[in-house]
């Protein structure tokens, strides 16, 4: 199959080598699959995309037909450094927070320590 787009031959070649289609029997099954796959980029093209997005796991979720990956990569200002290979299950995209040093500081009173002493032995 040759697509009638710029670089259509390249698109066809890439889909033939790396493309696949999965058909799910229900939206719940599709959500489960998407969350296990945890894609770097996920485009959601449904009538209830915003509602559905709250249930999905991906590095970046693009909603609707006017939010292509190219928009996030080159035009919207979102970070392009995203978790790949399913790591969106555990990690977020790179942000300014990744370059900040965070320190936890804990201070307890004698009474506070006595209250939790049995759970920390």
């Amino acid at each position: 199959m040759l697509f009638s787009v710029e670089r259509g031959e390249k698109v066809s070649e890439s889909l033939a080598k790396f493309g696949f289609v999965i058909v799910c029997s229900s939206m719940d099954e599709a959500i489960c699959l998407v969350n296990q796959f945890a894609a770097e980029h996920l485009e959601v093209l449904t009538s209830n995309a915003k509602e559905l997005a709250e249930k999905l796991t991906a590095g970046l979720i693009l909603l609707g037909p006017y939010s292509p990956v190219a928009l996030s990569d080159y035009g919207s200002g979102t970070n392009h450094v995203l978790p790949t290979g399913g790591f969106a299950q555990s990690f977020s995209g790179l942000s300014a927070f990744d370059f900040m040093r965070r320190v936890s500081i804990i201070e307890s009173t004698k009474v506070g320590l006595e209250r939790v002493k049995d759970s920390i032995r």
Side-chain angles (χ1 to χ4, degrees):
M1 168 186 348
L2 187 60
F3 289 88
S4 61
V5 296
E6 185 180 339
R7 298 177 34 171
E9 188 173 313
K10 202 64 152 160
V11 170
S12 293
E13 180 184 328
S14 181
L15 285 173
K17 287 182 181 178
F18 308 110
F20 58 90
V21 173
I22 298 173
V23 178
C24 296
S25 60
S26 69
M27 187 57 76
D28 287 339
E29 183 181 23
I31 291 168
C32 183
L33 174 73
V34 164
N35 290 343
Q36 287 178 2
F37 193 78
E40 177 181 1
H41 295 83
L42 176 64
E43 293 185 53
V44 181
L45 302 169
T46 64
S47 59
N48 61 338
K50 285 183 185 179
E51 177 186 318
L52 193 57
E54 296 174 9
K55 301 174 184 176
L56 301 174
T57 299
L60 174 71
I61 300 173
L62 300 135
L63 303 179
Y66 304 108
S67 305
V69 171
L71 174 65
S72 72
D73 287 352
Y74 307 112
S76 66
T78 52
N79 198 308
H80 184 65
V81 182
L82 299 169
T84 60
F87 280 97
Q89 290 180 357
S90 304
F91 298 98
S92 302
L94 188 66
S95 77
F97 292 111
D98 294 300
F99 298 96
M100 297 174 66
R101 184 173 173 272
R102 297 177 297 274
V103 177
S104 298
I105 298 173
I106 298 170
E107 180 181 19
S108 182
T109 63
K110 182 178 180 182
V111 171
L113 182 58
E114 286 173 349
R115 285 183 183 161
V116 298
K117 69 180 180 195
D118 291 337
S119 64
I120 60 173
R121 288 184 187 204

